[in-house]
């Protein structure tokens, strides 16, 4: 495993095309695209890392996995009255389908759907309490109390997040938000501003791996469903491509991180800030494709 991860880090370093760093969040625009890290937490408790696996990065939309687990913990299947479970085939921040589908976002991983899951775990609490709950969940999952939110990234996104504000107003106009747009956006942007290293993220993903030694934070049924949504919707309009190339459930973020689950085997985190045209890590996706080929791991047998 260590040799494989070293090979992946080496291949990434040698690839001249690193993709484009997300520039619409000013605080992320200056990140050095030359970085690449990977970490794997195996079912037997061993952890292997390579490259920049100890460098913290902004997990961005990978946080939507933890938000979904929290929202389901709060309201269970009631959540599905407010958000769907179908891929959207559109970019993560698209507003197009919201009008046609009466303010019910297609799935919890596009921004509109994630605003609904944030609104769900925020209901009845202050943003501070809700974010405290989120951090408690992530820290328990990773077994690491040092995980924190980067306030600068959160504020940078609040200051420039016109599109997310529009999505939230659109949801509110359809009666699909319980808290105010300001509170939901503030909480959502802080949630996206959670910072982790590849090692921490691989550890945090262990609750989605079906293995005895791993934290059991959600029921078996819920774990399967979260994995199913990661497979079908975790990479937005690139989800089909990721399933085709990698064959494992994954959730990406515009910070360049991807959390990948191999059920029963491992939780894997890969990070490289340059993105492909779908807004998913370019080198991260390529590394996972090679990883899946070399290990033979796939949910498709
Ligand atoms: N915080 C980002 C946004 O809302 C998350 C998007 C992403 O990571 N794909 O635009």
């Amino acid at each position: 495993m260590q040799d494989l991860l070293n090979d992946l880090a080496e291949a990434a370093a040698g690839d001249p095309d690193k993709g484009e760093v997300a520039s619409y969040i000013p605080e992320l625009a200056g990140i050095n695209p030359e970085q690449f890290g990977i970490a794997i937490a195996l079912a037997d408790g061993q952890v292997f890392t390579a490259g920049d696996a100890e460098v913290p990065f902004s997990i961005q939309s990978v946080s939507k996995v933890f938000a979904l687990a929290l929202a389901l913990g709060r309201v269970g299947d009631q959540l599905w009255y407010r958000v769907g479970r179908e891929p959207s085939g559109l970019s993560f921040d698209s507003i197009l389908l919201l009008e046609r589908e009466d303010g019910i976002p297609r799935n919890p991983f596009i921004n509109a759907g994630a605003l609904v899951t944030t609104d769900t775990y925020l209901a009845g609490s202050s943003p501070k309490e809700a974010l405290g709950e989120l951090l408690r969940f992530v820290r328990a999952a990773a077994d690491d109390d040092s995980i924190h939110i980067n306030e600068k990234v959160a504020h940078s996104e609040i200051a420039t997040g016109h599109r997310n504000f529009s999505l939230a107003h659109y949801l509110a106009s359809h009666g699909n938000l319980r808290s105010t747009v300001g509170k939901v956006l503030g909480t959502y942007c802080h949630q996206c501003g959670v910072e982790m290293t590849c090692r921490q993220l691989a550890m945090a993903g262990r609750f989605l791996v079906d293995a005895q030694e791993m934290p059991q934070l959600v029921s078996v049924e819920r774990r399967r469903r979260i994995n199913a949504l990661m497979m079908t919707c975790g990479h937005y309009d690139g989800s089909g491509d990721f399933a085709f190339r990698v064959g494992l459930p994954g959730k990406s973020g515009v910070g360049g991180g991807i959390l990948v689950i191999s059920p029963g085997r491992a939780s894997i985190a890969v990070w490289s800030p340059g993105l492909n045209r779908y807004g998913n890590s370019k080198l991260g996706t390529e590394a996972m494709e090679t990883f899946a080929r070399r290990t033979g791991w796939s949910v498709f047998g």
Side-chain angles (χ1 to χ4, degrees), residues 33-134:
E34 296 291 325
Q35 302 173 92
F36 175 93
I38 187 161
I40 180 163
L42 291 171
D44 65 4
Q46 293 189 86
V47 177
F48 294 93
T49 66
D52 302 309
E54 310 290 351
V55 179
F57 62 90
S58 192
I59 70 165
Q60 292 296 316
S61 285
V62 183
S63 69
K64 293 170 181 173
V65 172
F66 306 109
L68 174 60
L70 280 188
L72 286 170
R74 275 286 183 96
V75 301
D77 282 345
Q78 299 289 318
L79 181 68
W80 307 118
Y81 290 108
R82 297 180 56 194
V83 60
R85 311 187 287 257
E86 291 295 340
S88 69
L90 294 166
S91 66
F92 63 84
D93 55 357
S94 174
I95 202 166
L96 263 180
L97 290 172
L98 265 192
E99 171 151 33
R100 243 188 21 222
E101 299 180 356
D102 302 324
I104 306 292
R106 272 289 173 102
N107 66 67
F109 293 153
I110 51 173
N111 286 8
L115 289 167
V116 172
T117 59
T118 298
D119 182 59
T120 303
Y121 77 78
L122 172 62
S125 341
S126 67
K128 202 169 171 222
E129 286 164 344
L131 289 165
E133 198 187 333
L134 174 85

Side-chain angles (χ1 to χ4, degrees), residues 24-25 60-61 64 92 111 157 164 188 192 236 253-254:
Y24 75 99
I25 302 173
Q60 292 296 316
S61 285
K64 293 170 181 173
F92 63 84
N111 286 8
E157 199 176 350
N164 284 331
Y188 170 81
C192 290
Y236 319 111
V254 287

Side-chain angles (χ1 to χ4, degrees), residues 184-208:
V184 175
L185 252 296
T187 310
Y188 170 81
C189 293
H190 279 80
Q191 170 199 306
C192 290
V194 168
E195 232 168 45
M196 285 197 226
T197 64
C198 286
R199 180 193 290 273
Q200 288 171 324
L201 183 57
M203 291 293 283
R206 293 173 308 156
F207 77 104
L208 293 171

